[in-house]
Amino acid sequence: MYICDNVNVNEKGNLTFAGQDTLELAAKYGTPLYIMDEEKIRFNCNIYKNAFKKYFGDNALPLFASKAASFKRLYEIMKDEKMGIDVVSSGEIYTALKAGFSLENAYFHSNNKTDKDIEFAIENKIGYFVVDNIEELKRINYEAEKQGITQKVLLRITPGIDPHTFEAISTGKVDSKFGSAIETGQAEKITEEALKMSFVDLSGFHCHIGSQIFETEPFYKAVAVMLDFIGSIKTKLGFTAKQLNLGGGYGVRYTENDPVFDIDGSIKNVAQFIKEKSAEIGIEVPKILMEPGRSIVGNAGMTLYTAGTVKIIPGFKSYVSIDGGMTDNPRYALYKSAYTVINASKADKTADFNCSVVGRCCESGDIIQENIMLPQTGRGDIIAVLTTGAYNYSMASNYNRIGKPPVVMLNKGANYIAVKGETLEDIVRNDI
Ligand SMILES: *Cc1c(COP(=O)(O)O)cnc(C)c1O
């Protein structure tokens, strides 16, 4: 009945997540509350791990794009699941280190790594940099020399593909702040530069075409462009890429309008295509990497709120205000992202009340979802927003001096705090 199999309703009419009563969780930990289904995270990792093993063999590795959800417990789970990771800042690197994650299979992204980031990452033995541009490459070479090492790198290439998703999160087109474009000749130029440098070791190439993708077609296009590029680099510069990282991007179901998508089947087809295309070009199949973020943690998360003011404006709209909002989930404010919202206290009741669910910040744009149907909702009802495991906690802010909610993990009937909620003291801890 719901968009994901870990969401259900119990005999009391309460919404459950990972088999646990959301009202009991809200009562135990308070709201707003992020809850995460640990088994679902591991299950999602295994979709990728199994598919990679089946279709690529041993020469492949899925990486968790940790910007989707970054805190110590998640890196522990990724370590346990033998996933690689992708990180985008010193903060994510530090969190991974604190979780005991060895950085051998960590890939450092970002379109603007600072000198400090570069120094910090090399000091901490980052496995790979995914280098965005020539200036950065020079700085990495300089820092590697200074620290007396040779640094492995991939180069981020812009393949010029629009995966037909939302503009602000489609990043593989030529006009992008990310990477070096093939079309402009900059991709070849940066490859040439990398091969000349003494303290960087070029392992291969990376591309990332976008997010929330439910088709295999854009990946075929990306693979074709990237393998052609690898082939032409081999011919022109005599360099054979050992790795090809295809980025992240598979979608998750936010609402019933999103399709059920077979990631395993899609990877199978991509693998087949890579093998055929590599043979055609006359190169060995490189080690294949992918960096799923959303599809690892998205449907493993839910946010619980308590309804406060319910404002019915006769002849206009009705508003249900919750005790969180854009501070814990800025995605509607940023992208008008769709979400499924449920009154968890009345999950068995008919949804016949048209309303907008809004946050508590002093911003009209602080909206979780507009124009949705809930059952008749009143102050004190628990409101659940589904599929919030990706890009919610990791994008949370302290706007209006609102503390970030705790993250509670659910596992086989048990639950535990992975990240404490911020207290009022936490709010002022850096104020002098
Ligand atoms: C955001 C991002 C990802 C993860 O994307 P998802 O859509 O969450 O799978 C992977 N790689 C790069 C470079 C990214 O920017």
Side-chain angles (χ1 to χ4, degrees), residues 186-248:
Q186 286 162 306
E188 188 182 320
K189 183 86 182 88
I190 191 172
T191 307
E192 227 180 320
E193 289 292 323
L195 291 172
K196 276 193 246 157
M197 290 180 178
S198 307
F199 303 95
V200 296
D201 173 15
L202 181 60
S203 298
F205 302 100
H206 167 277
C207 68
H208 172 72
I209 51 175
S211 214
Q212 189 62 357
I213 300 169
F214 291 108
E215 290 161 304
T216 303
E217 197 57 37
F219 288 100
Y220 291 149
K221 287 189 189 146
V223 163
V225 170
M226 293 301 288
L227 289 177
D228 280 337
F229 178 70
I230 289 173
S232 87
I233 290 297
K234 187 184 168 195
T235 310
K236 287 187 196 164
L237 307 176
F239 168 74
T240 305
K242 293 185 284 290
Q243 296 192 6
L244 173 59
N245 182 333
L246 295 171

Side-chain angles (χ1 to χ4, degrees), residues 124-142:
N124 287 291
K125 304 192 168 45
I126 191 87
Y128 298 82
F129 280 88
V130 182
V131 181
D132 190 89
N133 55 71
I134 288 182
E135 256 123 80
E136 181 182 303
L137 183 67
K138 287 182 185 152
R139 189 69 198 189
I140 292 167
N141 189 57
Y142 164 87

Side-chain angles (χ1 to χ4, degrees), residues 9-255:
V9 182
N10 65 18
E11 64 290 345
K12 294 179 192 155
N14 299 346
L15 192 73
T16 64
F17 190 49
Q20 302 191 35
D21 189 317
T22 56
L23 265 61
E24 285 173 19
L25 290 165
K28 179 170 174 184
Y29 296 103
T31 61
L33 177 67
Y34 295 115
I35 47 180
M36 292 201 86
D37 176 353
E38 185 174 334
E39 277 186 283
K40 190 55 120 186
I41 297 172
R42 293 179 185 274
F43 178 86
N44 291 338
C45 290
N46 276 288
I47 292 178
Y48 283 92
K49 286 195 307 186
N50 294 337
F52 272 48
K53 186 118 194 111
K54 272 187 286 180
Y55 310 127
F56 294 115
D58 287 329
N59 198 29
L61 181 71
L63 318 172
F64 170 55
S66 60
K67 72 174 197 240
S70 179
F71 50 87
K72 273 162 61 180
R73 182 63 190 140
L74 259 187
Y75 293 103
E76 285 170 8
I77 294 171
M78 292 307 142
K79 181 182 173 189
D80 199 36
E81 292 295 335
K82 300 191 169 53
M83 296 278 287
I85 54 169
D86 128 9
V87 290
V88 295
S89 70
S90 295
E92 286 185 358
I93 291 172
Y94 190 70
T95 312
L97 285 169
K98 284 282 175 180
F101 194 100
S102 133
L103 297 183
E104 191 184 328
N105 283 321
Y107 287 70
F108 188 8
H109 277 278
S110 160
N111 63 307
N112 186 20
K113 300 167 191 80
T114 64
D115 294 354
K116 261 191 164 160
D117 284 336
I118 291 168
E119 183 184 15
F120 180 76
I122 294 178
E123 269 168 17
N124 287 291
K125 304 192 168 45
I126 191 87
Y128 298 82
F129 280 88
V130 182
V131 181
D132 190 89
N133 55 71
I134 288 182
E135 256 123 80
E136 181 182 303
L137 183 67
K138 287 182 185 152
R139 189 69 198 189
I140 292 167
N141 189 57
Y142 164 87
E143 190 61 42
E145 177 175 17
K146 206 172 96 190
Q147 296 195 32
I149 60 136
T150 305
Q151 178 61 52
K152 284 185 283 190
V153 303
L154 301 187
L155 301 177
R156 179 161 182 168
I157 304 301
T158 320
I161 291 156
D162 179 356
H164 305 293
T165 56
F166 189 69
E167 179 81 17
I169 47 176
S170 57
T171 46
K173 295 186 286 177
V174 173
D175 179 11
S176 165
K177 74 168 183 174
F178 298 103
S180 308
I182 296 175
E183 210 175 302
T184 58
Q186 286 162 306
E188 188 182 320
K189 183 86 182 88
I190 191 172
T191 307
E192 227 180 320
E193 289 292 323
L195 291 172
K196 276 193 246 157
M197 290 180 178
S198 307
F199 303 95
V200 296
D201 173 15
L202 181 60
S203 298
F205 302 100
H206 167 277
C207 68
H208 172 72
I209 51 175
S211 214
Q212 189 62 357
I213 300 169
F214 291 108
E215 290 161 304
T216 303
E217 197 57 37
F219 288 100
Y220 291 149
K221 287 189 189 146
V223 163
V225 170
M226 293 301 288
L227 289 177
D228 280 337
F229 178 70
I230 289 173
S232 87
I233 290 297
K234 187 184 168 195
T235 310
K236 287 187 196 164
L237 307 176
F239 168 74
T240 305
K242 293 185 284 290
Q243 296 192 6
L244 173 59
N245 182 333
L246 295 171
Y250 283 123
V252 295
R253 300 189 78 202
Y254 287 103
T255 70

Side-chain angles (χ1 to χ4, degrees), residues 22 25-27 29-33 304-307 323-324 360 382-383 405-406:
T22 56
L25 290 165
Y29 296 103
T31 61
L33 177 67
L304 303 178
Y305 304 98
T306 304
D323 56 354
R360 57 189 286 216
I382 298 299
I383 305 296

